Amino acid sequence: MGQILALVIVFLVVVGIVKLVRIVPQGYEWTVETFGKYTRTLTPGLHFLIPIYQAVGRKINMMEQVLDVPSQDVITKDNAVVRVDGVVFYEVLDASKAAYEVANLEQASLALVMTNIRTVLGSMDLDESLSQRDAINAKLLKVVDEATHPWGVKVSRIEIKDIAPPRDLIDAMARQMKAEREKRANILDAEGFRQAAILKAEGEKQSVILAAEGEKEAAYRAAEARERSAEAEAKATTMVSEAIAGGNVNALNYFVANNYVEALKEIAKSPNQKMLLLPMEATGILGSLAGIAELAKDSLGQQKPPTISPQPLR
């Protein structure tokens, strides 16, 4: 009987020591209740409690936690049904509020996030919901963080993992994308043809301008040549007239023979002439040529050679 009593006493002492000494691990905070009422919070480390009088209430994880949001069907503003899921990152800042302000923190946070996902996506079109992930995350974070603040919780991030439209809607979007790409390709082709036509027209314009410039330059050169030929003809006529006035008959013969030969040259160049009959005396032309030779000889004889005066030898 004494041994049993001793064992009971030892057991009670061990239980008392266990109830007396409390070691809180890192990353957790425990609440202390006195006769069922919250009194204080135990931080990580060694603590002592009075057995029966004090007890550990809730063990709260103070580290940042991840909460998976299950997929759900959401109707967008333009009546498109999409399937959405996400993930939530949150951290408990006040262990007493997280323990006693809400019954089930994870379940309450999850329900709050899912409800606001439907609210935010329901106010947006399908195109906006697919292209504005950052805006959706920002709206959800703002709303959920304000709603969970009385629970002593800080929601750091909310990320939408996937927005999946129905299969028929995906096929319609693919056809629309293909049509848009074909439209852009046709526009680019038309723009290329237009640019090519413009460049071709510019090239033809430059070609016509250059051709006109060339014709203008050629006409200017031809006019200049005719002007010089006319000046030479006028000078030759003046010289012949002066020679005739001076009594030189050979100059007249030269003038007549020169015009006679030029006339024969033009007749020979005519494309309609197949045969040329000359009812003339060849001696007349020879006489004229002889007159030309004498005229040239007289012209050369009039030029006096330079005189060279002898120099005395020294």
Side-chain angles (χ1 to χ4, degrees):
M1 197 64 189
Q3 292 180 350
I4 296 175
L5 182 60
L7 290 176
V8 171
I9 294 174
V10 170
F11 175 77
L12 292 176
V13 171
V14 171
V15 172
I17 294 174
V18 171
K19 293 292 183 178
L20 176 65
V21 179
R22 294 294 182 174
I23 300 177
V24 180
Q26 182 67 35
Y28 285 83
E29 287 186 3
W30 295 356
T31 62
V32 177
E33 298 176 356
T34 301
F35 294 119
K37 181 181 179 181
Y38 168 77
T39 54
R40 61 191 177 96
T41 301
L42 301 180
T43 58
L46 179 63
H47 300 275
F48 297 95
L49 298 179
I50 300 174
I52 302 175
Y53 178 72
Q54 293 177 328
V56 175
R58 303 288 181 86
K59 298 178 180 181
I60 305 300
N61 187 350
M62 305 299 291
M63 295 179 288
E64 186 174 14
Q65 303 177 61
V66 181
L67 183 63
D68 287 329
V69 180
S71 59
Q72 59 177 333
D73 292 332
V74 178
I75 300 177
T76 61
K77 185 178 180 180
D78 52 353
N79 296 325
V81 180
V82 294
R83 196 160 188 82
V84 184
D85 60 358
V87 62
V88 180
F89 297 86
Y90 70 96
E91 180 182 3
V92 177
L93 300 180
D94 192 332
S96 61
K97 291 182 178 181
Y100 301 107
E101 294 294 335
V102 59
N104 190 328
L105 180 60
E106 290 187 0
Q107 185 177 358
S109 300
L110 184 60
L112 186 61
V113 171
M114 294 180 67
T115 302
N116 283 277
I117 286 177
R118 289 194 296 268
T119 302
V120 172
L121 290 180
S123 63
M124 303 175 68
D125 295 334
L126 178 61
D127 294 337
E128 293 177 350
S129 63
L130 293 176
S131 61
Q132 299 182 8
R133 295 285 187 93
D134 293 338
I136 296 173
N137 296 335
K139 290 181 180 179
L140 289 174
L141 178 61
K142 181 180 179 182
V143 173
V144 175
D145 187 40
E146 290 178 355
T148 57
H149 181 71
W151 302 343
V153 175
K154 172 63 178 177
V155 179
S156 57
R157 285 178 296 172
I158 297 180
E159 299 289 340
I160 298 297
K161 291 194 297 184
D162 189 21
I163 301 177
R167 186 62 191 177
D168 55 347
L169 189 57
I170 294 176
D171 295 338
M173 293 171 62
R175 290 193 299 270
Q176 180 182 3
M177 185 184 303
K178 182 179 179 181
E180 289 292 334
R181 290 179 178 176
E182 291 178 353
K183 176 182 177 182
R184 288 196 295 267
N186 293 332
I187 292 175
L188 291 177
D189 290 340
E191 188 67 24
F193 290 143
R194 174 176 173 272
Q195 191 67 23
I198 292 175
L199 293 177
K200 182 179 179 181
E202 289 290 336
E204 292 177 354
K205 176 183 176 182
Q206 293 295 329
S207 177
V208 172
I209 293 174
L210 292 177
E213 291 290 336
E215 292 177 358
K216 177 181 178 182
E217 185 67 20
Y220 175 76
R221 298 292 184 183
E224 186 177 2
R226 289 194 300 270
E227 182 180 359
R228 291 184 180 180
S229 177
E231 291 178 356
E233 186 69 21
K235 186 176 181 180
T237 303
T238 303
M239 293 177 62
V240 171
S241 299
E242 292 177 355
I244 293 173
N248 191 348
V249 182
N250 292 326
L252 180 61
N253 293 333
Y254 164 73
F255 185 74
V256 173
N258 185 35
N259 291 335
Y260 191 79
V261 172
E262 292 294 331
L264 290 177
K265 184 188 299 183
E266 294 297 329
I267 293 174
K269 288 182 179 179
S270 176
N272 297 326
Q273 296 295 333
K274 304 300 182 181
M275 183 183 300
L276 181 63
L277 298 178
L278 299 175
M280 62 184 69
E281 296 179 358
T283 56
I285 299 176
L286 294 176
S288 299
L289 295 176
I292 294 171
E294 291 179 3
L295 179 60
K297 187 183 298 182
D298 292 340
S299 298
L300 295 174
Q302 292 177 1
Q303 297 179 0
K304 296 181 181 181
T307 58
I308 300 174
S309 59
Q311 298 292 334
L313 299 176
R314 293 181 181 178

